[in-house]
């Protein structure tokens, strides 16, 4: 339970929690009045509802009188029923006799009406000088039951007992039925924690420890799950990349073969010029051969990078260069499918921050999808446009085809995992593209009415953007 505001009783200070049922043994009327004035004043100051049940020899009028000096706007509090001062006979003994059950009901009703009025809490104090030996054991049962009423409510009850009126057996009863005991004797305060309170505190500590242990355990499990999920995602993305590269294997090998063939041709030419002792031509042919050899190495390097499984990187990279490399790798595939590929890459684009291989994977997926989509339209109308330009806060990449386009229904589902309309499709490509782009702080979406077929656009924030 949350701690209540200041009790107004210095000896316990701010240590009391809502739900407290405690008692105060007093020796003198002065001790009683001083303590209760401070208790009520603190409650009113904290916006609580206060109920003071006064017993003889103190009268309701005397209690009001005593409060007047400490609480200047007492009249207003009383008029608004924010503070009620009742006589113990009226509250505890309506009809002249004590009835614990009836009294408990009255508490529940009071609590309901006070909660309905929206107070921060309810602070009660009641004196017991009216209590006779005849009613003592019933009253103890009632006090015991009161702990249940108070339970988890924003309610605090301070019962006051005149020390002179209590023998040892009574004191034991009071200690048993309350959470803790305050006593003022010979001008000194004493605070006694009862066994019940100690037990409750120990229980609470045990529960807290237990809870903390379970929170730790759960956090550890969640961390493990999230790590496993992360790994699975990376695995899946890698499989998708390798699959995409596999789809292009035939065309890519052509891309590698081309420079190698050109290199061999140049070397043969060099041999020929050597026989003719034309060293200038030999030098030129060998220079070509070296360049072609390097080209082949570059292509193989790009292929290896796309196939390799590597941890994600955060580099400042040139998106145009990344696009050009992918377009280069897919050139053979485009030629094979009679697709005319056009690129419009704006000059001098600022660098974006991210993982080149992952972003190339996105563009590769979009290109392969476009190639596959255009297989259903006549060869002379197959066009693929890939563009990159600067936009507010980043770079926009657009992949636009002239295929059959997207249906309104598919538009909502394209990026869902396992959504596919292809007989041998996996339906993971676009879902992985979205994960990659979002992990880069960007967005990816499809439109059906921008170009002749489908248009996919992605935004990527600039390097150094928050
Ligand atoms: P898969 O290619 O395995 O089907 P994707 O997630 O890459 O998985 O694509 C999901 C679906 O989105 C495709 O099956 C297709 O219906 C649709 N789609 C993707 N790209 C295009 C495109 N360029 N034109 C038309 N439909 C497309």
């Amino acid at each position: 339970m949350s701690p209540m505001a200041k009790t107004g009783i210095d000896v316990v200070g701010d240590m009391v929690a809502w739900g407290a049922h405690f008692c105060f043994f007093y020796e003198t009327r002065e001790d009683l009045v001083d303590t209760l004035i401070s208790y009520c004043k603190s409650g009113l100051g904290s916006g609580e509802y206060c109920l003071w049940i006064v017993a003889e020899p103190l009268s309701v009028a005397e209690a009001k009188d005593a409060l007047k000096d400490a609480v200047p706007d007492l009249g207003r509090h009383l008029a608004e029923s924010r503070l009620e001062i009742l006589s113990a006979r009226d509250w505890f003994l309506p009809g002249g006799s004590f009835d614990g059950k009836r009294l408990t009901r009255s508490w529940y009703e009071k609590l309901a009406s006070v909660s309905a009025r929206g107070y921060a809490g309810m602070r009660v104090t009641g004196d017991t000088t009216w209590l006779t030996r005849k009613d003592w054991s019933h009253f103890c049962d009632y006090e015991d039951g009161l702990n249940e009423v108070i339970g988890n409510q924003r309610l605090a009850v301070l019962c006051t007992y005149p020390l002179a009126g209590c023998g040892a057996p009574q004191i034991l009863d009071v200690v048993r039925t309350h959470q803790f005991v305050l006593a003022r004797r010979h001008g000194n305060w004493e605070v006694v924690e009862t066994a019940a309170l100690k037990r409750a505190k120990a229980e609470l500590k045990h529960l807290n420890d237990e809870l903390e242990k379970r929170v730790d355990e759960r956090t550890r499990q969640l961390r493990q799950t999230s790590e496993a999920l992360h790994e699975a995602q990376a695995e899946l993305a890698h499989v998708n990349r390798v699959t995409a590269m596999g789809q292009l294997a035939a065309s890519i090998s052509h891309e590698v073969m081309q420079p190698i063939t050109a290199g061999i041709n140049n070397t043969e030419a060099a041999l020929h010029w050597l026989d003719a002792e034309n060293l200038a031509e030999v030098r030129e042919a060998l220079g070509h051969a070296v360049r072609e050899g390097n080209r082949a190495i570059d292509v193989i390097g790009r292929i290896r990078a796309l196939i390799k499984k590597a941890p994600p990187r955060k580099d400042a990279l040139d998106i145009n260069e990344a696009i050009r490399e992918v377009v280069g790798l897919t050139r053979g595939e485009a030629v094979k499918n009679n697709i005319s590929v056009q690129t419009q890459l704006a000059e001098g684009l600022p660098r974006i921050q991210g993982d080149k291989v992952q972003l190339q994977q996105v563009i590769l997926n979009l290109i392969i999808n476009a190639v596959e989509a255009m297989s259903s339209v006549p060869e002379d109308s197959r066009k693929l446009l890939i563009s990159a330009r600067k936009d507010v806060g980043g770079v926009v990449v657009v992949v636009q085809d002239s295929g059959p386009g997207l249906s309104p229904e598919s538009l909502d589902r394209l990026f869902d995992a396992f959504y596919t309309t292809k007989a041998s499709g996996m339906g993971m490509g676009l879902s992985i593209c979205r994960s990659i782009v979002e992990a880069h702080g960007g967005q990816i979406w499809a439109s059906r009415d921008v170009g002749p077929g489908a248009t996919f656009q992605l935004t990527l924030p600039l390097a150094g953007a928050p």
Side-chain angles (χ1 to χ4, degrees):
M1 239 356 215
S2 56
M4 60 191 284
K6 288 190 172 49
T7 54
I9 304 169
D10 287 347
V11 70
V12 284
D14 309 338
M15 304 293 289
V16 180
W18 283 118
H21 179 206
F22 57 120
C23 71
F24 170 44
F25 287 111
Y26 59 94
E27 260 180 340
T28 67
R29 172 189 166 116
E30 204 182 13
D31 287 343
L32 174 75
V33 173
D34 284 353
T35 306
L36 294 187
I37 285 177
S38 182
Y39 177 72
C40 290
K41 187 182 169 191
S42 288
L44 292 170
S46 312
E48 295 164 20
Y49 162 85
C50 296
L51 174 58
W52 182 357
I53 304 164
V54 180
E56 287 147 16
L58 196 66
S59 70
V60 171
E62 283 169 330
K64 277 184 197 165
D65 236 23
L67 260 177
K68 222 183 294 173
D69 290 337
V71 183
D73 44 358
L74 181 71
R76 188 173 55 85
H77 287 312
L78 287 168
E80 291 172 3
S81 298
R82 179 179 292 273
L83 165 71
E84 285 183 84
I85 306 179
L86 306 177
S87 100
R89 292 208 175 271
D90 291 346
W91 182 259
F92 289 113
L93 303 168
S97 64
F98 176 74
D99 180 342
K101 284 210 178 90
R102 186 180 57 201
L103 196 52
T104 306
R105 272 200 307 279
S106 310
W107 279 122
Y108 276 120
E109 283 161 17
K110 193 83 192 162
L111 202 59
S113 79
V114 168
S115 315
R117 285 164 65 192
Y119 286 106
M122 173 164 163
R123 182 179 293 229
V124 176
T125 179
D127 197 34
T128 48
T129 51
W130 55 272
L131 194 52
T132 60
R133 289 284 148 107
K134 170 175 72 72
D135 289 327
W136 182 266
S137 76
H138 289 136
F139 190 76
C140 286
D141 291 345
Y142 150 81
E143 283 271 45
D144 214 5
L146 205 53
N147 287 313
E148 211 164 289
V149 180
I150 300 171
N152 293 323
Q153 311 282 351
R154 291 180 74 83
L155 170 65
V157 179
L158 170 59
C159 305
T160 58
Y161 288 81
L163 205 48
C166 296
Q170 285 80 35
I171 289 181
L172 284 179
D173 280 336
V174 175
V175 168
R176 179 178 54 80
T177 49
H178 291 79
Q179 294 170 358
F180 62 96
V181 177
L182 309 178
R184 192 156 165 85
R185 286 192 308 156
H186 317 307
N188 297 322
W189 281 102
E190 281 170 36
V191 183
V192 184
E193 280 192 2
T194 65
L197 182 62
K198 280 187 189 145
R199 258 202 316 278
K201 278 185 175 172
E203 180 85 352
L204 201 64
K205 182 169 177 334
H206 174 71
L207 286 175
N208 256 332
D209 292 348
E210 195 64 21
L211 195 67
E212 247 167 56
K213 249 200 324 225
R214 279 166 53 185
V215 167
D216 285 350
E217 172 69 8
R218 200 81 192 95
T219 312
R220 202 179 50 77
Q221 281 174 355
L222 280 175
R223 198 172 298 130
Q224 273 176 353
T225 312
S226 113
E227 275 166 17
L229 193 67
H230 228 83
E231 258 174 50
Q233 270 178 338
E235 196 67 45
L236 190 65
H238 181 237
V239 169
N240 165 264
R241 214 158 61 222
V242 174
T243 311
M245 292 298 284
Q247 275 172 270
L248 300 178
S251 329
I252 287 180
S253 64
H254 175 75
E255 209 60 26
V256 183
M257 287 303 284
Q258 217 184 8
I260 293 176
T261 314
I264 293 171
N265 289 344
N266 277 295
T267 317
E268 278 172 358
L271 286 174
H272 166 75
W273 291 119
L274 202 59
D275 288 343
E277 295 189 7
N278 185 341
L279 290 188
E281 291 291 352
V282 171
R283 191 169 295 116
E284 194 184 332
L286 285 180
H288 281 308
V290 169
R291 274 197 295 280
E292 294 300 335
N294 283 332
R295 235 182 82 200
I297 289 175
D298 278 355
V299 176
I300 291 170
R302 272 170 226 147
I303 297 167
R304 283 184 57 187
L306 276 163
I307 288 175
K308 212 166 77 182
K309 194 174 160 194
R313 300 173 57 101
K314 266 208 162 124
D315 300 319
L317 52 95
D318 175 356
I319 193 73
N320 283 350
E321 183 191 306
I323 294 173
R324 269 190 218 106
E325 285 179 9
V326 179
V327 170
L329 285 178
T330 51
R331 189 175 14 238
E333 192 70 7
V335 170
K336 196 170 85 183
N337 288 281
N338 280 313
I339 295 169
S340 101
V341 181
Q342 218 194 326
T343 51
Q344 284 175 1
L345 308 176
E347 299 262 331
L349 280 186
R351 288 181 176 259
I352 55 133
Q353 183 164 302
D355 185 303
K356 184 170 163 189
V357 166
Q358 284 189 0
L359 293 176
Q360 287 186 321
Q361 173 174 3
V362 173
I363 296 159
L364 187 66
N365 272 330
L366 296 179
I367 292 178
I368 291 176
N369 275 346
V371 170
E372 285 176 348
M374 286 189 286
S375 66
S376 65
V377 297
E379 292 191 350
D380 57 357
S381 63
R382 295 178 186 170
K383 289 191 176 62
L384 177 62
L385 173 65
I386 301 157
S387 58
R389 60 178 152 69
K390 183 152 173 3
D391 194 43
V392 217
V395 166
V396 187
V397 177
V398 184
V399 177
Q400 194 171 81
D401 64 48
S402 60
L406 305 160
S407 66
E409 310 81 61
S410 72
L411 209 54
D412 290 339
R413 307 180 51 200
L414 289 179
F415 294 94
D416 290 351
F418 304 115
Y419 173 75
T420 182
T421 55
K422 299 171 192 166
S424 57
M426 258 239 293
M428 289 308 293
L430 290 177
S431 152
I432 290 169
C433 287
R434 176 163 276 177
S435 305
I436 292 177
V437 173
E438 287 179 355
H440 279 77
Q443 281 180 314
I444 181 167
W445 69 97
S447 322
R448 49 193 304 270
D449 48 11
V450 176
T455 304
F456 286 84
Q457 303 189 56
L458 56 109
T459 57
L460 294 166
L462 300 187

